[in-house]
Amino acid sequence: MILYKLKTIQHKQYLEQLPKLPQKVEGLNTLFSPEDFRIALINAILHASSRIYITALFLENDDGGRDILNALYLAKRQCPDLKISVLVDWHRAQRGRIGAGCSKTNSDWYCFIAEQYPNISVPIYGIPVNTREALGVFHVKGFIVDNSVIYSGASLNDVYLHRHTQYRYDRYHFIENAFLANSMSIYIEDKLLTNPAVHRLDRKDRPKSSKIRHKIRQFRHILRSCAYTVPSLASNNELALTPITGLGRHSLLNKTIHNLMRSAVDKVTLCTPYFNMPSLLVRNIIFLLRQNKQVEIIVGDKKANDFYIPESEPFNIIGTLPYFYEMNLRHFIMRLQRFIDNGQLIVRIWKCDQHTFHVKGIWVDHEWQLITGSNLNPRAWLLDLENAVLIHDPKHQLDNQFQKERGYIQTNTDIIRSYYDIDTIYQYPKKVRKLIKRVSRIRIDLIIRRIL
């Protein structure tokens, strides 16, 4: 027990030694719906006066994406000195949606819009994190508008912005903090946009990926050691923030997530849309349970997964992913059923009509919180460029706000009492069963779970 307490103290010391930026209570506000997020984001863009940096996995050519791009062009027209940069994944922008037969890509749309406004510059950059999309994507999140950071795991399209009837539920935090905005802006300008592997997507003369493969490999190597420049301006006795970025197994972000979980004294809450956690995080959960801590996990139902394909639509191998994730969850609960029985382990499944679930994050002891775009899965852990904002709230000044957010997240959830509450493979549609058995037989499922 003494050794355990010493290790817990060491994990907490790791967090306390991170450089921190002071944060005012009134400067951090949480929104609770994608529609409110869309309205507030567009409003912030239209009222920007100095800078806008948009970082997202993709900016889609649909009504939601067009709302954002139109707002950016309008903001630039209103304020010609406004500095704007949009950063999205290089590969994702140059293909259609998975399973779609669309010949036009988002990058084609960017070029078309740029040609319509030759006198207005809204540059859109493609960030190539690896030579192929399956091996790593640009998954950095956060929209910097003047001295504010609007942080969400959402990308920019119809469902993330609730432009029509369907939405993808995420988290939405508006943070007024010039230090944070400057730190994230410097990283974008100095570490990303200056690299020779990064090119404009709104230009037709952009190079083919094969032509810059060597530069992309060099860029990935550099990204592994890149970090935000964070001056240590706050103590451990005040509300403070630490922006963190990471790429690869031993990244600063992964180390922070590990130490954050292991520092828990009473309770850890984790949210992920895909139950496919790295083995280290699973071991952390088991360790905490054995030390009589409480762990709450909120995960999306298979039908709330963005890869889910209804039985009425043509099926393909991607559609097996939600079922694999559910099989993982069932096995996990079966293994730890005794902790569910004694109330230490709480597993909630989110499901709401045809909507999808994209919430990520970690809460620890009402003192620490990680807001992030990381899915807490092997892909995020090993392949993608991720970021997060760690919030330290030692005086519980934001407790009511964060309790309210957790309440919203829990609203459409059901608590799992037993692994019997989760479907088995024999309850899956016939075509799903056949495909799962086929890919499992040749072990392709291990590769699929690792890269998607």
Side-chain angles (χ1 to χ4, degrees), residues 390-449:
L390 179 66
I391 302 173
H392 187 207
D393 184 18
K395 297 179 180 178
H396 303 174
Q397 295 168 278
L398 297 172
D399 204 39
N400 289 338
Q401 186 176 158
F402 290 148
Q403 289 279 40
K404 184 177 179 181
E405 184 188 22
R406 278 201 296 271
Y408 271 90
I409 295 170
Q410 293 171 352
T411 297
N412 294 303
T413 63
D414 292 319
I415 295 179
I416 300 299
R417 305 293 182 185
S418 165
Y419 63 90
Y420 288 114
D421 295 342
I422 299 177
D423 290 347
T424 68
I425 188 172
Y426 303 104
Q427 296 169 289
Y428 295 162
K430 184 178 180 179
K431 54 189 175 184
V432 175
R433 293 200 309 269
K434 289 179 63 176
L435 192 50
I436 287 177
K437 290 178 180 179
R438 187 181 306 156
V439 299
S440 297
R441 192 179 305 122
I442 56 178
R443 311 310 291 164
I444 293 178
D445 60 314
L446 299 179
I447 300 173
I448 292 174
R449 294 186 220 200

Side-chain angles (χ1 to χ4, degrees), residues 130-148:
N130 212 329
T131 53
R132 295 180 182 275
E133 183 181 354
L135 302 178
V137 297
F138 178 70
H139 213 242
V140 170
K141 302 302 170 80
F143 313 108
I144 303 163
V145 181
D146 295 336
N147 287 328
S148 296

Side-chain angles (χ1 to χ4, degrees), residues 242-253:
T242 303
I244 306 168
T245 187
L247 172 64
R249 184 189 302 274
H250 304 294
S251 72
L252 176 62
L253 178 55

